């Protein structure tokens, strides 16, 4: 049973930084597309970053490109999302997701993802 647990959310000022972590357990496939999504109140879920564990390729939505970085610590089974230059519009619930289909990314198609974490809240004030 694959399980994802996010942590690291909280509050920050505009221009500040936060780092989210996604610990993963129980993987059965060789490679996964690990992604971060976010959802603000009244808005659709948005895929913002993805990392393919099969080779380390990374992908970003335009809204976060140049500000956010997704990375992996293989030894600790953790996916990170480093968020810099935060903006009030980054305020949302952030979710970690995993897809074992062998292809990546699916940032515009959350239905591809088999596994989701419980989410962690990020609030950015101006």
């Amino acid at each position: 049973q694959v399980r994802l647990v996010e942590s690291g959310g909280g509050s920050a000022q505009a221009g500040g930084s936060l780092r989210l972590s996604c610990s993963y357990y129980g993987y059965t496939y060789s490679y996964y597309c690990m992604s971060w999504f976010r959802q603000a109140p009244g808005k659709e879920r948005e895929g913002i970053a993805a990392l393919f564990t099969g080779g380390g390729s990374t992908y970003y939505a335009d809204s976060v490109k140049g500000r956010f970085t997704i990375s992996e610590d293989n030894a600790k089974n953790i996916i990170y999302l480093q968020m810099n230059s935060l903006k009030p519009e980054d305020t949302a619930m952030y979710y970690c997701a995993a897809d074992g289909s062998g292809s990546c990314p699916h940032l515009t198609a959350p239905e591809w993802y088999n596994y989701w974490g419980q989410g962690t809240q990020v609030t950015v004030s101006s």
Side-chain angles (χ1 to χ4, degrees):
Q1 180 76 17
V2 174
R3 192 163 64 97
L4 307 175
V5 180
E6 301 100 333
S7 61
S11 298
Q13 296 279 340
S17 298
L18 285 172
R19 188 177 75 164
L20 305 184
S21 299
C22 172
S23 298
Y24 55 91
Y25 310 92
Y27 273 14
T28 56
Y29 294 108
S30 298
Y31 305 114
Y32 284 82
C33 183
M34 300 299 299
S35 300
W36 286 95
F37 286 76
R38 66 185 182 185
Q39 188 166 19
K43 294 189 176 182
E44 292 188 355
R45 189 166 294 194
E46 176 191 19
I48 57 173
L51 181 149
F52 185 54
T53 64
S57 297
T58 57
Y59 311 86
Y60 298 94
D62 289 342
S63 57
V64 305
K65 197 173 294 182
R67 301 188 298 123
F68 291 10
T69 302
I70 187 170
S71 62
E72 180 184 22
D73 185 329
N74 289 328
K76 297 181 179 180
N77 287 1
I78 298 176
I79 299 292
Y80 297 105
L81 184 68
Q82 178 67 43
M83 305 186 295
N84 299 329
S85 302
L86 284 164
K87 304 175 181 180
E89 51 263 44
D90 293 320
T91 295
M93 185 71 80
Y94 283 69
Y95 299 90
C96 179
D99 161 39
S101 68
S103 61
C104 195
H106 312 292
L107 294 181
T108 60
E111 64 272 15
W112 272 85
Y113 293 84
N114 316 89
Y115 309 103
W116 293 84
Q118 81 287 352
T120 186
Q121 178 68 37
V122 170
T123 302
V124 183
S125 56
S126 57

